[in-house]
Amino acid sequence: MTISIWLPLTHEASSVVTMDASTELVSTHTTAPSKQPLPIVALAGIPNAGKTSLFNALSGLHYKVANYPGVTVEKRTTVCTLPSVGQITLVDLPGTYSLYGSSPDEILAAQYLLGQMTQERIPDLIVCVVDACNLDRNLYLVSQLIDFGYPVIVALTMTDVASRRGITVRPELLSRALQVPVVDISGQRKRVLGPLQAALQHFIADPSTIAPKRYGWCTCTQLIDHAKKLGSFQRQSASAPATDNDYDIAVGIGLLSGGVQGTTADIDTRTIELREQLAQAGIDASCFEVENRYKWIAQIVKRSVAFERPDHKTRTDKIDRIVTHKLWGSIIFILIMGMMFHSIFAWAGIPMDLIDSGFSYLQELIRKIVPAGNLQSLLADGIVAGVGSVIIFVPQIAILYLFISLLEESGYLSRAACLLDSVMRQIGLQGRSFIPLLSSFACAIPGVMSTRSIPSFGDRMVTMLIAPLMSCSARLPVFTLLIAAFIPNALVFGFLSLQGLVFLSLYLLGIIGATLVAYLLKSFYFRSEPDPFVMEVPPYRMPQLRSVVYQVWDKVFVFVKNAGTVIMACSILLWVLATYPTQENASPADAIASSYIGQIGQLIEPIVEPLGYDWKIGVGIVASFAAREVFVSSMALLHNLEDANEESESLLTAIRTARDPETNQLLYSLPTALSLMVFFVFACQCMSTLAVVRRETGSWNWPAFMFVYMTVLAYSAALLTYQLGIRWIT
Amino acid sequence: MIESITLIVITVAAFIFLALRSFRFVKRLRQGRLEGACGSCGCRPKNPGSNSL
């Protein structure tokens, strides 16, 4: 099979390069330093156009992709070897609609493309990824890049989706109109990357052969003259080396339209003067560029796209009529969330029991094989009990991530953000904050980072500060353990799991807490009206099995790896602290109480006692600062050591039946469990989250504030829960 | 005797592992490479390896 790529070699004519689509595509990554600077190829485009998918396909990496805008918020660079192209530096950029970005991720992309990043070489070639379904919006950036004189290759994505909507994009006509190469990369990777690589091979050798006409949209000579003067003035003020005059024009147009900021007060004054001169001539500089670029783009689209069914209602339109409906949409949203949390409990029971039985069998086996003594205790009560108590939650982790990846891949998240916009506005935020907050249910770190897609500083800060209140997956083992131990496994209304409902209410508690904190912050500190909410709503796509399975497998693998490394190491150290100094002829309970960990626990106990916790829980909370799951493994370890003389029992039974050695009363009650769950909902126990907030805000003040407010909130809420619980719950 | 030595080796190995991990965390913090730093959620991209194509 042969595929054509349209490569215009001159302004007037296009030529066709053909290659065999069955060409073997092998790309390998290397970080080996190269003496010659490698050619830099940057991937640019609007959000959700498919840049990271292309980046992954070319480099063989596995960066996260999803069907909603704003997944990539950082510049990513890799060195890869492409067949017949050789080594290149490939750069993936956050999505931006134009070179005049407003949110931090857009500004980052624009700064890189405009060469404003010191220590960064400007790219030799830009592959602009263009979504064929929304050609108008995508071509704005292309036209700006052309004006700045970059060699641009347009990579068309989603032409298959566009065809189903009756939109036929003709790459050869688009290439002729734009005077840049256009490559269709929609469809299966293997088939479509060959033509792109052929184009890269052709133009990396001599990018200057891509020389489209610049400023094709601008017919106003007066504006061009003024822009040229202004751009040149800005360059001279910055003592920058001389560039081509056309580049100065592009900068000048940016200054006149307000998209580019002047570097000095003189430039600002000059800009205002020139704007006034243009206004006297009847030209509104602030909107001239936008209006005329879009007019020009409309002409290009008219020449290269055929609309067969302009009024055709797509499947996405039909689904959206229900899913984004004010009433039905809200009901569907609640049902999806409810089903997610119900499934985590309802579907995971059998595999969890199997894993539990497996680890119990392993403990018994160790006791039979290894002679009684400290080594046997370390292996059975320390390592196997500690690691096993965490591994048991793998099925639940898999179900949680299965739902998250299905929601991300389908395109539902953007709709949910639109639905929740009105709710978010009540607390002074906007719908755009929803996606970072939803990401935080998996992990707060990508959640905090994805706040870069929020243009407003105040909204961004508030979203960042409340993101860790969304219950991340690391809290899941703690919640599950306590719910399974203290909440009856009953059904509500005959079909809803009570345990699932309690689980959902913990997540809701986090959301309510976040809402209150956001309201307070917006009312007293970050006072500003929320920006209007504009978001790219992608078409629905059937989630790809391979991608979903990969995402779930990846998360499960990391969870298991973490259990086999960090949790195991923590369990070993905790076992040592709980076993030494050894006490001759002491009962296991007395021995552990007088161990190092017992002594530490008794120091902590006065602080945690009002919350209903004993010293073991206190130790577990402190240990969970290493990783939240360590709480579960430390509880398993301490109870195993305490019940060393008894028959092996599961952690659940051990917690349910634990008794105070002095009073023989049950040690843990429902109020204790509720108080502990509430503490874990609000507590900030993740060093990595604090570190990423430090990086995003550029100061330790905000992470310090976050830690203090979350700790105070967690302690107060847990105290209130326990004190009310012991009075009201018998 | 063998039991004591085994216990010491395991404990020291666990301690060194956690210490090295903490150092690596601080190093990543200084370099600003924090994606996936928590190590428990899998948000860190895969290391470069074989191409999936």
Side-chain angles (χ1 to χ4, degrees):
Chain A
M1 183 182 169
T2 301
I3 290 174
S4 304
I5 330 157
W6 293 88
L7 310 170
L9 300 179
T10 64
H11 291 181
E12 289 77 29
S14 299
S15 69
V16 181
V17 170
T18 57
M19 71 169 291
D20 190 352
S22 62
T23 304
E24 187 70 19
L25 298 178
V26 183
S27 166
T28 50
H29 181 283
T30 172
T31 51
S34 175
K35 286 174 188 170
Q36 294 258 325
L38 296 175
I40 300 176
V41 177
L43 304 180
I46 74 164
N48 208 38
K51 295 173 293 301
T52 305
S53 296
L54 179 60
F55 182 80
N56 286 344
L58 288 171
S59 64
L61 296 173
H62 291 95
Y63 279 98
K64 183 180 171 175
V65 288
N67 188 16
Y68 63 87
V71 179
T72 306
V73 291
E74 282 193 304
K75 178 174 78 66
R76 290 159 180 165
T77 306
T78 186
V79 175
C80 58
T81 308
L82 300 179
S84 68
V85 177
Q87 271 199 335
I88 59 162
T89 301
L90 192 64
V91 180
D92 184 24
L93 294 169
T96 181
Y97 289 93
S98 79
L99 291 175
Y100 314 144
S102 55
S103 57
D105 57 341
E106 288 180 339
I107 290 169
L108 189 145
Q111 281 181 338
Y112 176 77
L113 291 169
L114 293 172
Q116 291 171 348
M117 284 183 173
T118 49
Q119 301 176 335
E120 292 280 0
R121 264 174 58 208
I122 58 165
D124 298 294
L125 196 62
I126 295 177
V127 175
C128 202
V129 182
V130 166
D131 176 357
C133 300
N134 298 307
L135 217 48
D136 304 52
R137 276 206 296 283
N138 283 259
L139 290 182
Y140 195 93
L141 179 66
V142 176
S143 74
Q144 282 190 320
L145 289 170
I146 289 173
D147 286 355
F148 274 91
Y150 281 113
V152 177
I153 294 177
V154 170
L156 271 179
T157 59
M158 289 179 252
T159 46
D160 45 350
V161 180
S163 315
R164 287 200 289 275
R165 292 178 173 192
I167 304 167
T168 310
V169 182
R170 303 275 302 275
E172 69 281 14
L173 296 180
L174 186 60
S175 172
R176 202 165 289 158
L178 289 169
Q179 299 174 358
V180 298
V182 175
V183 185
D184 183 357
I185 59 163
S186 311
Q188 294 298 312
R189 284 181 188 176
K190 252 186 181 172
R191 194 177 70 78
V192 299
L193 284 182
L196 179 63
Q197 295 200 36
L200 289 174
Q201 182 193 5
H202 189 91
F203 290 108
I204 281 175
D206 189 5
S208 63
T209 51
I210 306 175
K213 187 185 172 197
R214 291 153 81 173
Y215 314 106
W217 57 274
C218 188
T219 49
C220 177
T221 49
Q222 196 179 357
L223 184 98
I224 295 275
D225 288 344
H226 280 30
K228 196 171 176 179
K229 281 180 207 158
L230 201 54
S232 165
F233 185 56
Q234 163 117 325
R235 179 168 48 78
Q236 284 160 9
S237 303
S239 305
T243 56
D244 66 313
N245 286 335
D246 286 350
Y247 190 89
D248 287 344
I249 298 171
V251 174
I253 289 171
L255 286 164
L256 286 170
S257 67
V260 174
Q261 296 301 310
T263 47
T264 62
D266 281 353
I267 293 165
D268 289 339
T269 315
R270 191 77 185 270
T271 305
I272 292 166
E273 282 171 16
L274 291 173
R275 273 187 199 152
E276 282 169 2
Q277 285 178 24
L278 287 168
Q280 283 165 8
I283 301 164
D284 184 351
S286 62
C287 57
F288 184 87
E289 183 191 357
V290 177
E291 282 177 3
N292 285 277
R293 266 192 210 278
Y294 274 119
K295 276 183 195 166
W296 179 76
I297 289 167
Q299 287 169 10
I300 301 263
V301 170
K302 201 174 170 184
R303 275 151 54 190
S304 52
V305 182
F307 295 92
E308 289 159 25
R309 290 166 288 170
D311 299 323
H312 172 65
K313 291 271 180 233
T314 61
R315 192 175 55 181
T316 293
D317 296 332
K318 287 172 194 165
I319 298 172
D320 272 347
R321 279 189 64 188
I322 302 166
V323 169
T324 57
H325 187 271
K326 210 170 181 180
L327 176 65
W328 299 119
S330 307
I331 292 172
I332 289 169
F333 177 75
I334 292 166
L335 282 177
I336 288 174
M337 290 294 140
M339 190 179 162
M340 183 165 104
F341 292 114
H342 169 78
S343 311
I344 287 172
F345 268 92
W347 299 352
I350 295 170
M352 284 177 80
D353 287 344
L354 284 173
I355 297 171
D356 196 18
S357 309
F359 276 98
S360 298
Y361 175 76
L362 193 60
Q363 271 182 303
E364 293 304 320
L365 198 67
I366 288 169
R367 288 204 174 102
K368 276 181 194 160
I369 296 169
V370 182
N374 278 345
L375 186 61
Q376 186 204 69
S377 173
L378 170 65
L379 294 174
D381 304 324
I383 296 175
V384 175
V387 174
S389 64
V390 174
I391 294 280
I392 195 175
F393 297 102
V394 162
Q396 292 186 320
I397 295 285
I399 294 168
L400 177 72
Y401 280 106
L402 174 71
F403 269 90
I404 289 179
S405 58
L406 287 175
L407 291 174
E408 284 181 349
E409 293 253 326
S410 64
Y412 178 75
L413 284 191
S414 302
R415 275 82 184 175
C418 294
L419 270 175
L420 289 174
D421 183 49
S422 56
V423 180
M424 302 298 255
R425 274 179 193 281
Q426 301 293 319
I427 54 167
L429 294 175
Q430 53 161 302
R432 199 177 279 275
S433 298
F434 169 72
I435 288 179
L437 295 179
L438 193 84
S439 301
S440 303
F441 281 120
C443 176
I445 291 173
V448 168
M449 284 169 64
S450 62
T451 58
R452 287 186 188 184
S453 61
I454 301 172
S456 154
F457 173 76
D459 288 2
R460 183 171 176 238
M461 285 302 301
V462 173
T463 310
M464 204 183 292
L465 290 169
I466 63 171
L469 289 172
M470 305 292 118
S471 292
C472 67
S473 59
R475 288 165 166 122
L476 196 139
V478 181
F479 292 163
T480 315
L481 172 74
L482 295 169
I483 289 173
F486 293 98
I487 308 293
N489 187 11
L491 289 179
V492 181
F493 307 122
F495 68 99
L496 273 176
S497 152
L498 176 63
Q499 292 183 331
L501 279 179
V502 173
F503 194 46
L504 174 62
S505 64
L506 289 174
Y507 277 75
L508 287 176
L509 185 65
I511 295 168
I512 293 166
T515 309
L516 287 173
V517 174
Y519 180 76
L520 291 173
L521 286 172
K522 283 293 282 185
S523 304
F524 295 106
Y525 196 81
F526 297 103
R527 286 183 200 159
S528 66
E529 282 299 309
D531 286 346
F533 176 44
V534 182
M535 191 181 198
E536 192 80 28
V537 179
Y540 287 107
R541 272 181 233 152
M542 186 58 77
Q544 290 186 337
L545 182 67
R546 182 183 155 171
S547 173
V548 171
V549 169
Y550 176 80
Q551 278 203 48
V552 173
W553 162 249
D554 194 38
K555 306 294 191 254
V556 166
F557 175 77
V558 172
F559 185 80
V560 172
K561 190 178 152 200
N562 198 37
T565 51
V566 177
I567 308 289
M568 189 164 86
C570 288
S571 298
I572 293 167
L573 294 185
L574 281 171
W575 178 87
V576 171
L577 292 172
T579 306
Y580 298 97
T582 48
Q583 302 284 319
E584 291 298 322
N585 302 325
S587 69
D590 288 342
I592 198 168
S594 55
S595 67
Y596 292 123
I597 210 161
Q599 292 169 35
I600 296 167
Q602 277 142 28
L603 278 176
I604 300 167
E605 199 167 23
I607 304 167
V608 296
E609 207 171 10
L611 312 182
Y613 312 155
D614 68 341
W615 69 265
K616 292 190 211 74
I617 295 181
V619 166
I621 288 174
V622 173
S624 63
F625 276 87
R628 281 192 181 90
E629 304 92 318
V630 176
F631 175 81
V632 176
S633 59
S634 64
M635 293 302 282
L637 186 140
L638 293 174
H639 283 283
N640 256 297
L641 287 176
E642 200 170 68
D643 303 334
N645 293 343
E646 295 168 23
E647 203 173 296
S648 238
E649 56 185 7
S650 75
L651 177 58
L652 286 181
T653 319
I655 287 180
R656 274 191 208 121
T657 56
R659 289 181 182 275
D660 188 322
E662 288 170 15
T663 61
N664 206 32
Q665 296 279 313
L666 280 174
L667 204 52
Y668 308 127
S669 59
L670 182 57
T672 309
L674 291 174
S675 163
L676 196 50
M677 286 189 272
V678 168
F679 184 87
F680 269 88
V681 166
F682 293 125
C684 183
Q685 293 165 297
C686 181
M687 270 305 293
S688 309
T689 304
L690 294 171
V692 86
V693 172
R694 151 76 181 83
R695 190 184 70 172
E696 293 298 304
T697 58
S699 149
W700 276 111
N701 293 341
W702 287 113
F705 169 75
M706 179 191 271
F707 180 77
V708 170
Y709 101 75
M710 285 182 71
T711 307
V712 170
L713 183 63
Y715 192 90
S716 316
L719 180 69
L720 194 68
T721 307
Y722 181 70
Q723 296 301 331
L724 290 177
I726 53 171
R727 283 164 181 78
W728 289 352
I729 302 170
T730 55
Chain B
M1 181 67 179
I2 292 170
E3 188 190 64
S4 303
I5 291 170
T6 313
L7 283 172
I8 290 167
V9 168
I10 292 174
T11 310
V12 171
F15 183 79
I16 291 173
F17 172 78
L18 288 176
L20 285 177
R21 208 179 151 89
S22 307
F23 283 129
R24 203 176 65 176
F25 176 78
V26 174
K27 194 178 162 190
R28 286 169 69 91
L29 177 62
R30 283 192 178 156
Q31 292 173 344
R33 295 186 299 117
L34 285 162
E35 205 173 354
C38 68
S40 61
C41 69
C43 66
R44 179 167 29 187
K46 275 269 168 285
N47 286 328
S50 62
N51 194 345
S52 60
L53 286 170

